[in-house]
């Protein structure tokens, strides 16, 4: 009898595994209610299917089982079959629970979908509970058992296919978001290229006109008209002071840096750049630029209401080795931070750091808010 109770409650083990597997990397994170309900009811649903299939598969064994009516206790054989079926379902849904659903849960732009997706396992759980017969004889009446087993298997197949379709659709949405991100970066690069071309044209024109300036300077100097010479030299100096500010060798990072430098200048904020990055990065340039852009937006937003002498941001990034890249962004901050609640931008950065098996440190000391990141790009390549 004790063993039958042990087998009965052993179903809790696969239920816990099914519930924790999708959120194993975010056990300390504040998951949305939709995600929590999905994980809980999805685990209960799979175990309920195991119980349903086991009861119908071993219906003959339950005919003389008096404890079925008194304590809802299955025979030892039925209990073992239920655990085996739970194991089989775990194998079938393993990749979905272990890889696909966790990846989807990290995508913040589809968060609201979980509020609707959790209804599926909730509905199926209550449906299975309602459809489970109260008397073993009902299961052996006519074609009830084969129909019930077929219907249960069809529902399981439909749920499995639905999860795959959801995964495929979400992947397409993610690809579309990445494409939009790359198009935005290309647009910024195009603007930066036009600035470079304009600077080169101005420099070429300046070189072409330089001999004319030399003639004027020579004439004014030889005639002793030094007041006019000083005025002319001042005008010439002002017209030739336009410089092309390059931030690093990488074209994409240079473009995104120029974009935010221009944005910061319009709002009276100074950005101090130390970008020691090569022409080729060990990761997708769009991913790095998106991470840099999200952090810069947060920093610029944090200092926009500060006094002008405090509106400055410092950006440092370099390759620490062939496949390790570091990024640090500091800005002035007054006040206390009780907890850092990640928004969409910061969450995107955290997902990138996690994908590259990196580390991210957020701290506030001596009125300086700092975000330090290290990415191990070879982890993604492997």
């Amino acid at each position: 009898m004790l063993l039958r109770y042990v087998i009965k409650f052993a179903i809790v083990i696969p239920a816990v595994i099914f519930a924790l597997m999708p959120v194993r990397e975010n056990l300390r994170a504040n998951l949305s209610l939709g995600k929590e309900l999905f994980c809980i009811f999805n685990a209960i649903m799979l175990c309920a299917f195991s119980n349903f299939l086991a009861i119908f598969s071993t219906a003959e064994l339950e005919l003389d089982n008096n404890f079925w009516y008194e304590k809802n206790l299955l025979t030892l054989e039925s209990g073992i079959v239920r655990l085996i079926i739970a194991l089989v379902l775990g194998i079938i849904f393993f990749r979905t629970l272990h890889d696909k659903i966790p990846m989807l849960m990290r995508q913040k732009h589809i968060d609201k979908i979980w509020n609707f997706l959790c209804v599926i396992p909730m509905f199926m759980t209550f449906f299975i509970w309602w459809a489970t017969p109260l008397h073993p004889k009902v299961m052996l009446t006519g074609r009830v058992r084969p129909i019930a087993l077929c219907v249960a298997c069809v529902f399981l197949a439909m749920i499995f296919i639905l999860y795959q379709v959801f995964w495929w659709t979400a992947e397409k949405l993610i690809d579309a978001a990445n494409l939009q991100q790359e198009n935005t970066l290309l647009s910024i690069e195009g603007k930066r290229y036009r600035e470079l071309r304009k600077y080169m044209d101005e420099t070429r024109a300046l070189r072409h006109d330089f001999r004319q300036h030399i003639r004027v300077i020579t004439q004014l100097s030889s005639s002793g008209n030094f007041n006019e010479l000083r005025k002319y030299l001042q005008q010439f100096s002002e017209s030739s002071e336009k410089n092309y500010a390059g931030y690093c060798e990488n074209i994409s990072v240079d473009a995104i840096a120029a974009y935010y430098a221009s944005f910061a200048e319009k709002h009276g904020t100074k950005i101090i750049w130390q970008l020691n990055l090569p022409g080729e990065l060990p990761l997708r340039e769009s991913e790095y630029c998106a991470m840099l852009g999200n952090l810069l937006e947060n920093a610029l937003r944090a200092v926009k209401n500060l006094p002008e002498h405090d509106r400055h941001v410092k950006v440092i990034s370099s390759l620490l080795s062939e496949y390790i890249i570091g990024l640090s962004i500091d800005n002035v901050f007054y006040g206390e931070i009780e907890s850092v609640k990640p928004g969409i931008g910061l969450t995107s950065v955290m997902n990138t750091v996690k994908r590259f098996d990196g580390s991210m440190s957020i701290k506030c000391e001596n009125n300086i808010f700092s975000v330090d990141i290290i990415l191990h790009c070879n982890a993604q390549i492997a």
Side-chain angles (χ1 to χ4, degrees):
M1 178 64 66
L2 178 61
L3 185 58
R4 290 172 66 177
Y5 274 109
V6 171
I7 295 296
K8 175 182 178 178
F9 291 106
I11 195 65
V12 173
I13 298 175
V16 172
I17 294 174
F18 294 156
L20 295 181
M21 197 180 297
V23 294
R24 65 191 186 281
E25 298 177 354
N26 301 295
L27 292 177
R28 297 183 180 180
N30 294 323
L31 296 176
S32 65
L33 180 61
K35 292 179 181 179
E36 291 179 351
L37 290 176
F38 175 84
C39 292
I40 292 172
F41 279 98
N42 186 66
I44 297 174
M45 177 192 70
L46 293 177
C47 291
F49 267 114
S50 303
N51 186 65
F52 186 86
L53 292 172
I55 290 175
F56 274 92
S57 300
T58 59
E60 295 89 352
L61 301 176
E62 303 300 333
L63 285 176
D64 299 325
N65 180 16
N66 295 327
F67 292 104
W68 169 286
Y69 312 104
E70 298 175 6
K71 303 178 180 179
N72 195 24
L73 188 63
L74 298 176
T75 60
L76 184 61
E77 293 83 358
S78 297
I80 294 174
V81 169
R82 179 176 63 176
L83 292 178
I84 293 174
I85 295 176
L87 176 62
V88 172
L89 292 181
I91 294 173
I92 294 173
F93 283 84
F94 177 80
R95 189 161 179 263
T96 301
L97 297 176
H98 187 270
D99 298 326
K100 296 183 177 181
I101 291 179
M103 191 281 285
L104 295 176
M105 285 189 171
R106 291 195 293 267
Q107 309 304 319
K108 289 295 178 180
H109 56 279
I110 60 173
D111 262 1
K112 294 183 179 180
I113 296 179
W114 297 99
N115 297 331
F116 301 97
L117 192 65
C118 68
V119 174
I120 297 173
M122 290 173 64
F123 170 78
M124 291 306 304
T125 298
F126 287 109
F127 175 78
I128 296 169
W129 171 78
W130 173 80
T132 301
L134 300 176
H135 197 286
K137 291 182 179 179
V138 176
M139 295 181 284
L140 299 174
T141 302
R143 298 180 179 178
V144 172
R145 181 160 69 166
I147 292 175
L149 291 173
C150 288
V151 170
C153 291
V154 168
F155 273 130
L156 272 172
M158 290 174 60
I159 291 169
F160 181 81
I161 293 172
L162 179 64
Y163 287 174
Q164 305 311 306
V165 171
F166 175 55
W167 156 263
W168 180 83
T169 305
E171 251 195 342
K172 295 301 179 184
L173 291 174
I174 294 168
D175 290 342
N178 290 335
L179 182 61
Q180 182 179 3
Q181 187 181 84
E182 292 178 357
N183 288 337
T184 302
L185 181 58
L186 285 174
S187 175
I188 295 174
E189 287 179 4
K191 180 181 178 182
R192 184 61 164 168
Y193 174 75
R194 289 190 294 273
E195 291 176 355
L196 176 58
R197 285 297 303 270
K198 181 180 178 182
Y199 170 77
M200 292 174 66
D201 291 340
E202 291 175 351
T203 303
R204 188 180 300 112
L206 185 63
R207 287 200 306 267
H208 182 268
D209 296 339
F210 189 70
R211 64 179 182 271
Q212 306 299 333
H213 294 298
I214 292 296
R215 290 172 183 171
V216 174
I217 292 171
T218 303
Q219 181 65 30
L220 291 174
S221 177
S222 62
S223 64
N225 197 346
F226 296 110
N227 289 332
E228 289 297 324
L229 177 60
R230 281 194 294 269
K231 182 187 293 186
Y232 186 83
L233 288 174
Q234 183 178 0
Q235 293 175 353
F236 176 74
S237 176
E238 290 175 353
S239 65
S240 61
E241 280 182 350
K242 296 179 181 179
N243 295 318
Y244 176 78
Y247 298 95
C248 73
E249 296 180 13
N250 185 273
I251 297 175
S252 298
V253 179
D254 179 74
I256 201 75
Y259 173 82
Y260 281 102
S262 176
F263 178 85
E265 185 178 358
K266 292 178 182 177
H267 292 80
T269 301
K270 181 181 179 181
I271 302 181
I272 303 170
W273 301 95
Q274 294 183 24
L275 299 177
N276 301 314
L277 298 173
E280 295 291 333
L281 299 181
L283 76 165
R284 284 175 55 198
E285 293 173 347
S286 60
E287 286 188 292
Y288 178 84
C289 290
M291 182 174 64
L292 176 62
N294 283 325
L295 292 175
L296 272 172
E297 285 182 3
N298 290 342
L300 293 174
R301 191 182 303 116
V303 302
K304 69 176 182 179
N305 294 324
L306 296 180
E308 187 173 352
H309 64 275
D310 284 332
R311 290 203 296 269
H312 55 80
V313 176
K314 187 174 183 180
V315 182
I316 302 174
S317 185
S318 63
L319 281 183
L320 306 179
S321 71
E322 184 179 2
Y323 292 113
I324 299 179
I325 188 169
L327 172 62
S328 176
I329 296 184
D330 302 340
N331 62 268
V332 177
F333 179 85
Y334 293 117
E336 296 182 358
I337 300 179
E338 298 180 358
S339 62
V340 179
K341 296 181 179 180
I344 295 177
L346 189 56
T347 300
S348 174
V349 173
M350 294 169 66
N351 290 337
T352 302
V353 172
K354 184 179 296 183
R355 187 162 60 255
F356 286 96
D357 194 25
S359 61
M360 180 175 177
S361 171
I362 300 176
K363 59 184 178 181
C364 186
E365 296 177 355
N366 300 321
N367 295 328
I368 300 295
F369 183 86
S370 304
V371 179
D372 300 313
I373 292 173
I374 294 179
L375 301 180
H376 300 273
C377 303
N378 57 331
Q380 183 72 3
I381 294 174

